[in-house]
Amino acid sequence: MHKAMEVNEKIMHESANMLEKHGYSESYFHALSQALDNIKDIETIEAMRNKYQIEIGKDGVSTVARLKEDNDGYNIHDPETEDIVYKLAEHLKKYKAFKEEYERTKGDMDLEKSHRELDKTMKCMQQIVTMIHGCVDSDEEKTMIKTHIRDMFNMYQ
């Protein structure tokens, strides 16, 4: 499945780039549409295999949450946390793909897409840190979090 996903993502990016460069073409539009459908189907199959639960809210927005088991065999289901982690992984994957495409083409659109995905990735990370902050109740835990955040900040000094 991983290889099929890679091929379809490549076709999607190439078709989108060709449409962007040359305008509407039925063949490029059809390839883009088919690749998007295939990606959606692959993600659905992977979700089913990995025991993901897809929930559709009253507003029509779907969230994907993975069911996990703790050591006692009980299902631990935290849709909010799992949704953010899933989104983080997806945005990071897209960021890396757009960045790779930009490095290959030097196209402004690919650079812009990579920046948007990086921003979404960082917002997900911020949400995770905020959720952790809400659980912290001891000085030892606060110190641990401060140390890790300081280390991350120092990477860019």
Side-chain angles (χ1 to χ4, degrees):
M1 279 295 175
H2 180 71
K3 185 66 176 172
M5 182 64 91
E6 284 180 8
V7 169
N8 279 283
E9 286 176 344
K10 183 177 179 182
I11 291 169
M12 176 187 69
H13 292 300
E14 288 176 2
S15 299
N17 285 338
M18 295 306 283
L19 286 168
E20 192 175 298
K21 288 179 185 176
H22 302 290
Y24 177 78
S25 166
E26 186 175 350
S27 61
Y28 296 135
F29 184 76
H30 178 72
L32 176 63
S33 177
Q34 186 62 54
L36 289 169
D37 284 345
N38 292 347
I39 290 168
K40 179 183 69 172
D41 292 343
I42 291 167
E43 288 177 341
T44 301
I45 291 167
E46 286 179 343
M48 290 166 44
R49 282 186 182 165
N50 294 321
K51 299 179 183 174
Y52 280 95
Q53 177 177 335
I54 300 172
E55 299 171 351
I56 300 176
K58 292 179 183 176
D59 57 359
V61 175
S62 64
T63 56
V64 179
R66 184 168 185 184
L67 297 175
K68 300 200 182 234
E69 291 187 6
D70 68 9
N71 293 337
D72 296 328
Y74 294 101
N75 281 335
I76 301 171
H77 181 59
D78 181 3
E80 183 181 10
T81 303
E82 291 166 356
D83 187 43
I84 292 170
V85 171
Y86 178 81
K87 286 178 183 177
L88 171 69
E90 287 300 307
H91 291 305
L92 180 58
K93 184 171 100 176
K94 289 178 184 177
Y95 164 70
K96 290 164 73 175
F98 287 135
K99 189 71 170 194
E100 187 176 286
E101 187 68 17
Y102 167 73
E103 289 170 1
R104 190 177 66 74
T105 66
K106 299 299 182 201
D108 290 340
M109 195 67 148
D110 293 318
L111 182 61
E112 184 180 315
K113 289 175 184 177
S114 72
H115 287 173
R116 277 197 308 263
E117 290 303 323
L118 177 60
D119 185 58
K120 291 176 185 177
T121 301
M122 298 310 296
K123 285 179 181 175
C124 287
M125 288 180 64
Q126 185 177 0
Q127 285 180 302
I128 291 169
V129 172
T130 301
M131 291 173 72
I132 293 169
H133 180 266
C135 298
V136 171
D137 59 2
S138 71
D139 288 339
E140 180 183 0
E141 291 174 341
K142 290 177 185 176
T143 301
M144 188 184 308
I145 292 170
K146 286 178 186 177
T147 301
H148 284 282
I149 291 175
R150 190 176 301 116
D151 289 345
M152 287 186 277
F153 180 78
N154 288 334
M155 289 170 48
Y156 295 97
Q157 292 299 314

